Amino acid sequence: MQIGVNVPNFAPGTDPELLRRWAQTIEGLGFDLLMVSDHIAVTPDVAERYPAPFYEPFTTLSWLAGVTSRVRLGTTVVVVPYRHPLLTARMAANLNRLSGGRFVLGAGVGWARQEFEALGVPFGRRGALTDEYLRAMRDAWRDTGDYDTAPIPIWVGGNSDAAVRRAVSLGDAWHSLRGTPGWLAEGAGRLKAVAGELGRPVPAFAPRIQLRESAEPVTSPDRPAGVGTIDQIIADLDRLRLLGAETVLLDSFDGDLTEIGRPERAWRTLAAVAAYHHSQEHR
C-alpha cells in the first residue's frame, strides 16, 4: 500500500514558497503521492471553507513537478464539469509528460452551486456532464498519438452510490473522501458488490482520510479514520491495508485556517507515519 499527502493549496498563508516546502518535505519523507484540490472561482460558498488565494491545481502541480523528482502528483479532486474535457485532457497529458509520467487525475462532480453559476455550468447536470466528459477525455487520449497518456489513472472521487458506480464504470480507482473506519470497510465491500453487479473489474480502492494526531485516544464511536493518537492512526492504516487499499491519501486540513501557515505540527505527524510505513515496507 502506498501513502500520499493532500497539500492545502488555498487560504491566507499559502504562497509558492510554502507549497514548495510542502512538496519537498513530502518527497523527503518518502511518501508516494502529493495531491491538491480544485476551485476556479472563489465564490462565497467556496470562500467560506477554502478562502483565497486558491492556487489552480494544474498550474500548481506543473510547478511542483519541477521542484520534485520522484513523488507522484495528483488532484483530489478536479471538478470535471468546470473545464472543457479536451482542455482537461490536454493539460493532464502535458502534466503527465512534463513530470515523467507521475500524474494522477482525481476527478469529481463538485458541490459549490455558486461556483457553477459563476462558470456558467448547469449545477443540476453535473453528474451527467462528469460522465460525458470522462468518456470524452479517455477518447481524446486514445485518439491523440502525440502523448503517452495510457498511464494516467483516473480516480473517481465521492462517497455516494453514484460515485461508486462511476468509479466502476469509468475510473481506475474509487477515491472516497473521509469517513469512519467502519464506513470505509463497508465502502470497500460496496465497491466489490457494484463491480459484480455491473460485470466489471473491481477498481482500486484509494481513500482520502483525515490526519489529526491527538495526545489522548479518541474514543467516540464516530471517530473519523486518521484521527487520534499515532497508534490509532497507524491502526487505521493497517486496517485499510487489510481491506486492500492500494493508496491512502492523508489530509491534515481540519478547517482550522490558522494552521495553514504553520504546517510543522502536521509534518511531525507525517514523519511518524512515514517512519512506520517504511518499517513495514522492509519487513
Side-chain angles (χ1 to χ4, degrees), residues 71-245:
V71 69
R72 290 189 297 159
L73 306 161
T75 53
T76 179
V77 291
V78 70
V79 183
V80 175
Y82 284 175
R83 300 167 180 82
H84 193 286
L86 296 183
L87 173 62
T88 304
R90 177 48 58 101
M91 290 193 297
N94 284 184
L95 180 49
N96 194 54
R97 174 58 65 89
L98 291 167
S99 66
R102 292 189 278 149
F103 183 58
V104 177
L105 182 66
V109 302
W111 57 268
R113 184 182 293 270
Q114 292 173 339
E115 188 173 23
F116 273 86
E117 293 172 356
L119 295 170
V121 180
F123 183 79
R125 294 198 62 233
R126 64 194 188 283
L129 287 173
T130 296
D131 292 347
E132 176 188 338
Y133 285 11
L134 288 175
R135 291 189 181 97
M137 288 159 53
R138 286 205 183 275
D139 288 345
W141 291 340
R142 185 185 64 245
D143 297 340
T144 303
D146 56 341
Y147 294 104
D148 180 15
T149 53
I152 300 178
I154 294 177
W155 292 8
V156 174
N159 296 345
S160 66
D161 288 339
V164 175
R165 297 180 74 85
R166 183 174 295 113
V168 171
S169 299
L170 299 171
D172 300 293
W174 177 40
H175 186 47
S176 63
L177 307 175
R178 304 195 173 194
T180 66
W183 184 88
L184 289 164
E186 185 274 331
R190 187 163 39 126
L191 183 65
K192 294 176 182 176
V194 171
E197 175 191 331
L198 297 180
R200 297 186 61 86
V202 181
F205 181 37
R208 186 177 90 195
I209 67 171
Q210 288 181 255
L211 181 70
R212 189 170 76 245
E213 183 181 357
S214 62
E216 299 295 328
V218 177
T219 58
S220 169
D222 59 353
R223 178 187 70 88
V227 173
T229 64
I230 193 66
D231 288 342
Q232 287 182 297
I233 294 168
I234 287 170
D236 290 336
L237 292 172
D238 284 342
R239 290 190 196 98
L240 288 168
R241 183 181 289 106
L242 292 174
L243 286 172

